[in-house]
Amino acid sequence: MRGLVNYLTKNLVEFFKILRMAGMSFSVSDCITAFKSLEFVEIFNKVQVKAALQACLVKDETGKEIFSKVFDLYFVPPAVRNEYVTNRAETIETLKMEIEESVKSLNFQDTQVELTDEYKEIFAGLPESEKINLESFLNTTSAGKNVRTEFKQLAEGTIKGKLTSLKQKYAQQLIQTRGVLVQDTSEAGIIAAEVSDEILKANDLLHRNIGEINSEDVPAAVRLISELIENLNRELSRKYRKTGKKRRLDFKKTIQSNLSTGTVLFKLKYKNRFHSKSKLFLFCDVSASMLQFSSFVLQFLAGIGKKFTTTESYLFSDNAIRMNNKLYYDLSDFETQVKSSPIWGKGTNIGVSLDGILHNNSVIISSSTVFLIVSDAKTLDYNLAANNLKELSKRVKRVLWLNPVPEKNWTGIKGLEDFTKYCTMLDCSTLERLMVACRRL
Amino acid sequence: MNLITLRRSLEAENYIFDEEFLITVHIALKLGKPLLVEGAAGVGKTEVAKVLASALGVELIRLQCYEGLDESKALYEWNYQKQLLSIQAGLASEANLSNLYSKEYLLERPLLKAINSENSNVLLIDEIDKSDEEFEAFLLEVLSDFQVSIPELGTIKAKSRPVVILTSNNTRQLSDALKRRCIYLFLNYPDVEKEIRIINARLPGVPERLAKDAANAVSYLRQNSRIYKKPSVAETLDWVSSLLAMDKNRLDEDGISKTLGLIIKNREDMLEIRKDEGFSELLDKKPR
């Protein structure tokens, strides 16, 4: 019996480890509860054991999906599991060798170009035509007159830049080689990676860069965006907020708290301030640098316009113009209107555009306004932009900034650090990030 | 209550459930932990508490959460009108002034009622995601120790631990601290087979073909990513009831055109369905 308990404990601990590697999060006390729960089910009944462990360890819908897949892969007869793990490990090793082999063709003057694992995986996953293009670029560069070996670094930089842009173009195709070189080939590593990959593929749209959402995915993306806007709407329409600012006397509480003194009003109690509904002010960047995100931006604008009846919308690039809210109901009209506006695809000047908002008497912004900016923050005259943003932040309730550039790349954008002092900047590079951002609001 | 008894009690309530549901509820009862039920609107989350109270033969105490819900609405409030009247009527002399803060003047709200109850009960905290984060934090004390502190009376401990069911539509993320204290159950829309069983259980005498057609149609709508507001189980039941009232024994165009409003509740979805050929194919073209 003790042997069985030890075997079970060892297996469960390993199972918990795989769940965590696959992306689930639970505490030690959850593990203890999970162990305890097994006392109340038939230990040899797989369905009951699965349900009991799931009830204690899972905390959300995605977690349930991960749990179910890991359980089904892990709790199989040991021989079946070993065979699966061995086969998978062999496949991964072969893939690793193929990737390493593939990058050997990238040479600068007979020396192999030095690339990180991530770049190697991208290169190996590319279509043959793209590989040939990169190889011939290197061959041509190496063979030029007066080309010294010191130029290798320059060539490497160019190759890396090209690979980064090709990564976006062939995102779907590159899933096959993603993470292979760093893949753990232990039993736990293999099962966890298998499950994570499946979840990633199933929720591909959520994790894809919003600039890469194509026309086929638009209905699904619109649905997701609608859900997100619904969340945003709910959050902004919350009326009761505790502010701590004492204003109106609360007679009921005052009398109540002064009963002990025979209703002589020694202690005064005040009502929490009642907040009016927030008004949304949408300020959307449609400059040239934002064109790659235009599909997302247009859907987002239309979605916001439909959900928030009190929205004021302005588009900007080198200047700001007001949008007609009635257009939101017909997306094709709306798209035509936006694309034919004089500021579509121009350079960006957030400072000047904000100036137009701050110093225009017909534009109503107040302490109940939530100012939502959708922009990549790439702008001329970022000092003016930061100053105007500072002034704006004092006049409105909150400034939210949705940035379609991934957070890891923000350091390369000039002035962005200053902007973040006066607003809450959220990464919306993928729908998943946007979802997380909306929940953090 | 053991697993077999629980199964029988739930079956006696005409409740359709699967093994996962049964085990999760069983574990929550055995470990004495709150059960957090999440899922889309209309999958039967609130029903879980009602059925469980009925199956256990105990009282159901419900706390409906909303924005701005605070302790005075959820826990207790002093009946100050009664206190004032007592003072003015001279009932409270100087000696027993402290009696003004006795249980006689206490208005019990759902949480205190559940804790103070002599008998065991099911406490349903419905739509917890609608409440504010401050209230969620306040709930943590109640859910971990099943006790509340009233400054004038001291700490009140639960006489018998209530069975706590929390439901959430997932409109906002609940805190990890709250989730950690709960056993988790995610309810999804039922599959076609389960939905037919639910229809038959709730609406005895429904023609077999009608139940099957309605379950298929509803399942089709739920899988259609273009439909924004998915039909709930309760809506399916209402829909089948109205089809029955129209003497339909299967789903046809006539029945659909007159009753579609019972399962599709917004204009965009309605337009989407009308142009969806896949949905039309599910129907029997001849009116019956």
Side-chain angles (χ1 to χ4, degrees):
Chain A
M1 190 63 188
R2 180 176 281 268
L4 177 68
V5 172
N6 284 343
Y7 179 71
L8 184 70
T9 311
K10 188 174 158 275
N11 262 334
L12 279 177
V13 171
E14 181 73 4
F15 176 62
F16 296 156
K17 181 181 153 192
I18 300 173
L19 287 176
R20 285 193 173 122
M21 284 171 80
M24 271 179 72
S25 157
F26 47 84
S27 66
V28 178
S29 76
D30 290 329
C31 296
I32 295 167
T33 315
F35 270 108
K36 273 191 201 162
S37 72
L38 295 179
E39 289 173 25
F40 309 112
V41 294
E42 291 169 30
I43 201 74
F44 294 110
N45 184 330
K46 197 172 169 182
V47 177
Q48 289 194 5
V49 170
K50 185 176 180 180
L53 293 176
Q54 180 180 288
C56 303
L57 300 172
V58 167
K59 304 288 173 204
D60 54 36
E61 192 183 355
T62 319
K64 187 179 175 187
E65 212 176 327
I66 295 174
F67 177 91
S68 184
K69 286 183 194 299
V70 173
F71 188 93
D72 293 342
L73 281 173
Y74 186 74
F75 288 103
V76 290
V80 177
R81 195 167 71 212
N82 286 341
E83 193 189 340
Y84 163 76
V85 170
T86 315
N87 287 341
R88 191 78 194 113
E90 276 173 15
T91 314
I92 292 165
E93 288 304 336
T94 316
L95 255 175
K96 280 184 182 176
M97 277 163 54
E98 280 173 10
I99 292 171
E100 293 291 357
E101 199 60 39
S102 136
V103 290
K104 280 183 183 166
S105 61
L106 287 178
N107 293 313
F108 182 85
Q109 294 179 344
D110 299 329
T111 321
Q112 197 181 320
V113 169
E114 283 171 32
L115 295 173
T116 60
D117 285 346
E118 192 192 348
Y119 285 121
K120 285 178 183 174
E121 286 164 5
I122 296 170
F123 179 76
L126 290 175
E128 279 310 310
S129 55
E130 296 288 0
K131 286 184 189 173
I132 293 167
N133 280 346
L134 289 171
E135 283 163 15
S136 53
F137 162 77
L138 274 176
N139 289 338
T140 322
T141 317
S142 324
K145 276 185 182 177
N146 301 323
V147 177
R148 297 193 300 268
T149 47
E150 290 81 26
F151 288 179
K152 187 183 165 214
Q153 264 192 335
L154 205 64
E156 274 173 3
T158 314
I159 290 288
K160 284 175 187 170
K162 286 194 173 189
L163 285 172
T164 307
S165 71
L166 289 169
K167 183 188 167 189
Q168 290 204 345
K169 190 175 172 188
Y170 295 103
Q172 289 282 77
Q173 201 171 323
L174 295 173
I175 291 177
Q176 304 297 330
T177 51
R178 185 165 58 194
V180 171
L181 290 176
V182 288
Q183 164 87 62
D184 179 355
T185 48
S186 68
E187 182 181 85
I190 283 174
I191 296 177
E194 175 88 10
V195 173
S196 308
D197 279 356
E198 267 187 57
I199 302 280
L200 204 64
K201 276 179 199 164
N203 298 314
D204 172 50
L205 191 60
L206 272 180
H207 298 277
R208 208 181 309 162
N209 193 303
I210 55 163
E212 293 159 13
I213 294 173
N214 53 40
S215 54
E216 288 165 23
D217 300 323
V218 164
V222 170
R223 190 165 52 84
L224 277 167
I225 291 172
S226 301
E227 280 174 29
L228 297 171
I229 290 167
E230 197 74 53
N231 280 352
L232 189 67
N233 189 13
R234 205 173 289 117
E235 183 57 37
L236 293 180
S237 66
R238 281 185 175 247
K239 286 175 281 184
Y240 296 90
R241 289 270 186 209
K242 288 181 180 172
T243 60
K245 287 179 187 172
K246 291 172 180 175
R247 288 283 165 92
R248 288 185 298 160
L249 193 66
D250 187 331
F251 285 103
K252 188 178 167 186
K253 284 186 179 167
T254 304
I255 294 169
Q256 226 175 329
S257 63
N258 289 289
L259 281 171
S260 56
T261 55
T263 63
V264 178
L265 306 181
F266 278 119
K267 299 175 204 161
L268 296 179
K269 297 276 177 182
Y270 294 88
K271 276 188 176 172
N272 285 324
R273 201 177 176 194
F274 183 85
H275 270 234
S276 58
K277 256 188 175 180
S278 302
K279 291 186 187 76
L280 190 72
F281 194 108
L282 190 62
F283 196 59
C284 195
D285 187 350
V286 289
S287 63
S289 64
M290 285 288 285
L291 290 185
Q292 54 175 322
F293 310 116
S294 61
S295 167
F296 160 77
V297 169
L298 290 172
Q299 296 292 346
F300 187 78
L301 269 169
I304 287 265
K306 277 186 192 175
K307 294 279 171 197
F308 295 89
T309 44
T310 54
T311 309
E312 275 281 330
S313 307
Y314 276 76
L315 303 179
F316 76 92
S317 55
D318 54 359
N319 214 329
I321 59 160
R322 189 170 184 272
M323 271 308 294
N324 180 359
N325 283 4
K326 285 179 185 165
L327 288 169
Y328 291 132
Y329 285 90
D330 188 342
L331 191 63
S332 54
D333 269 5
F334 171 70
E335 209 172 320
T336 320
Q337 181 82 7
V338 173
K339 289 187 175 172
S340 61
S341 69
I343 54 167
W344 176 260
K346 295 272 179 69
T348 320
N349 197 328
I350 299 177
V352 171
S353 306
L354 277 178
D355 232 20
I357 299 293
L358 290 168
H359 302 115
N360 182 346
N361 290 335
S362 64
V363 179
I364 303 164
I365 46 173
S366 67
S367 57
S368 64
T369 303
V370 173
F371 201 91
L372 182 67
I373 303 174
V374 183
S375 170
D376 57 5
K378 291 171 186 167
T379 178
L380 295 167
D381 202 354
Y382 47 84
N383 287 327
L384 177 68
N387 286 337
N388 282 339
L389 203 58
K390 185 180 176 183
E391 192 185 334
L392 178 74
S393 68
K394 287 177 189 166
R395 286 175 54 182
V396 299
K397 182 177 178 183
R398 199 170 177 189
V399 182
L400 294 172
W401 189 315
L402 293 181
N403 194 332
V405 176
E407 195 171 351
K408 61 180 180 186
N409 299 337
W410 287 0
T411 44
I413 300 174
K414 282 182 183 171
L416 188 143
E417 206 180 328
D418 287 339
F419 300 160
T420 55
K421 289 176 193 164
Y422 312 113
C423 67
T424 311
M425 195 174 283
L426 303 162
D427 175 355
C428 70
S429 57
T430 65
L431 290 173
E432 190 251 351
R433 297 255 169 105
L434 183 59
M435 200 176 272
V436 172
C438 283
R439 282 182 178 158
R440 269 171 43 198
L441 288 179
Chain B
M1 188 181 268
N2 64 29
L3 195 57
I4 298 164
T5 327
L6 180 65
R7 187 194 296 273
R8 283 188 190 144
S9 309
L10 290 171
E11 279 169 354
E13 292 300 321
N14 238 348
Y15 188 72
I16 307 298
F17 58 91
D18 53 19
E19 199 70 3
E20 182 188 317
F21 174 86
L22 179 72
I23 299 294
T24 309
V25 172
H26 178 61
I27 297 291
L29 292 176
K30 285 290 174 192
L31 292 173
K33 286 193 157 218
L35 177 67
L36 170 62
V37 189
E38 276 192 342
V43 291
K45 298 183 292 294
T46 309
E47 195 64 16
V48 173
K50 289 181 184 168
V51 167
L52 201 58
S54 189
L56 298 173
V58 297
E59 189 191 356
L60 173 71
I61 298 171
R62 179 173 180 165
L63 171 65
Q64 178 65 48
C65 297
Y66 52 87
E67 286 168 31
L69 175 68
D70 60 13
E71 293 170 36
S72 67
K73 299 285 185 322
L75 189 59
Y76 75 93
E77 204 172 4
W78 289 108
N79 189 347
Y80 80 98
Q81 289 93 341
K82 198 174 173 183
Q83 288 172 324
L84 272 177
L85 282 171
S86 294
I87 292 170
Q88 289 181 354
L91 297 176
S93 66
E94 204 172 311
N96 58 11
L97 198 64
S98 59
N99 282 351
L100 281 177
Y101 292 98
S102 64
K103 284 187 181 172
E104 195 190 335
Y105 296 93
L106 193 69
L107 285 176
E108 286 184 345
R109 301 298 186 205
L111 286 180
L112 187 61
K113 195 178 170 195
I115 284 176
N116 231 353
S117 172
E118 292 290 338
N119 303 315
S120 179
N121 54 65
V122 171
L123 169 64
L124 167 64
I125 303 173
D126 210 5
E127 301 190 341
I128 176 73
D129 52 327
K130 295 253 174 77
S131 69
D132 302 313
E133 279 163 19
E134 293 88 344
F135 181 74
E136 200 185 309
F138 155 75
L139 263 186
L140 293 180
E141 183 195 354
V142 183
L143 296 182
S144 23
D145 307 323
F146 289 97
Q147 65 176 39
V148 289
S149 307
I150 300 177
E152 296 85 352
L153 294 178
T155 303
I156 298 178
K157 284 192 178 178
K159 288 169 186 156
S160 58
R161 276 198 160 203
V163 175
V164 183
I165 313 276
L166 297 109
T167 71
S168 161
N169 285 334
N170 221 352
T171 53
R172 74 167 169 88
Q173 287 275 48
L174 300 176
S175 70
D176 285 346
L178 183 74
K179 284 188 170 180
R180 207 173 51 236
R181 283 163 173 83
C182 299
I183 294 294
Y184 183 83
L185 175 67
F186 184 82
L187 285 184
N188 224 329
Y189 288 114
D191 56 21
V192 174
E193 195 197 329
K194 194 175 170 188
E195 190 125 38
I196 294 173
R197 284 166 62 208
I198 294 172
I199 294 171
N200 288 329
R202 291 301 170 98
L203 303 169
V206 173
E208 198 182 322
R209 178 64 194 266
L210 179 61
K212 194 179 164 194
D213 283 356
N216 273 323
V218 168
S219 164
Y220 179 85
L221 292 177
R222 286 180 191 143
Q223 282 164 23
N224 187 339
S225 62
R226 289 170 188 261
I227 299 293
Y228 183 66
K229 162 79 181 67
K230 315 281 184 206
S232 70
V233 178
E235 283 167 336
T236 311
L237 293 172
D238 288 345
W239 188 40
V240 175
S241 299
S242 24
L243 288 167
L244 263 182
M246 290 169 70
D247 288 331
K248 299 283 177 192
N249 54 16
R250 65 202 312 175
L251 207 55
D252 57 26
E253 264 184 12
D254 176 52
I256 279 280
S257 63
K258 288 174 181 161
T259 59
L260 196 60
L262 276 101
I263 45 168
I264 298 292
K265 302 283 171 72
N266 71 47
R267 187 173 156 268
E268 284 93 349
D269 288 351
M270 199 69 95
L271 293 173
E272 193 60 51
I273 282 302
R274 293 205 192 280
K275 66 182 181 193
D276 187 341
E277 288 172 8
F279 187 71
S280 313
E281 281 167 19
L282 293 170
L283 309 176
D284 186 350
K285 305 287 177 194
K286 294 173 197 165
R288 283 163 201 259

